[in-house]
Amino acid sequence: MMQMDTLPPSAHELVLTGVGRFALFADAATIARGPDGVRMRSFQVVNEDFTVGTTRYWGGWSWWRFDCEAGTADRLDFASVVVGGAEGPVTPEGQPAFPAVPGGDAAGLMTVACGKARPEVAATTLDAAVTLGRARMAE
């Protein structure tokens, strides 16, 4: 089982992979290749803070596993991210792997996870990713 530790705030290499209902970033710093595929974390940013009770959220993190040869993706979990960057709790996803359809969120993430070269890093902090993601969603 993969370790799902939080990286220090300065350790992120966030690559913008898609803009739609959410802005989606692949964290290239978390890419780990193993016998069961490639694992990587993604950060999903919502258009504007949403509030549950009295807590405001930016979006959430998910760990993914990709089978680059088979072209499949498996979202392993989701952990909400409050304004300021604290995260949790982690909720397992529990769904089976699925084909990463071209143009979809999983395919964009898979391109980063399975690529031979690292794409351009758009942000190195969650604050910067939220600002960039929201600006791109507003375009």
Side-chain angles (χ1 to χ4, degrees):
M1 188 66 163
M2 126 178 83
Q3 188 175 357
M4 297 187 190
D5 292 340
T6 303
L7 293 172
S10 61
H12 300 297
E13 295 177 14
L14 299 166
V15 177
L16 183 63
T17 61
V19 178
R21 182 173 162 209
F22 306 104
L24 191 61
F25 293 85
D27 191 349
T30 65
I31 294 172
R33 300 182 196 299
D36 62 344
V38 178
R39 293 186 177 124
M40 183 182 70
R41 206 167 190 211
S42 70
F43 181 50
Q44 175 180 300
V45 177
V46 294
N47 189 34
E48 59 184 47
D49 296 350
F50 66 93
T51 304
V52 177
T54 59
T55 306
R56 292 182 9 243
Y57 294 88
W58 279 339
W61 281 109
S62 290
W63 278 102
W64 292 76
R65 181 178 28 245
F66 301 97
D67 183 327
C68 302
E69 289 182 31
T72 60
D74 187 2
R75 184 175 181 176
L76 303 173
D77 64 12
F78 180 82
S80 59
V81 175
V82 299
V83 170
E87 66 181 85
V90 174
T91 303
E93 179 66 30
Q95 298 297 312
F98 58 92
V101 179
D105 288 343
L109 293 170
M110 182 181 271
T111 298
V112 174
C114 297
K116 296 189 187 332
R118 293 229 179 180
E120 181 180 338
V121 172
T124 58
T125 66
L126 297 186
D127 290 8
V130 169
T131 300
L132 173 61
R134 290 180 175 173
R136 291 291 304 276
M137 284 188 279
E139 292 178 351

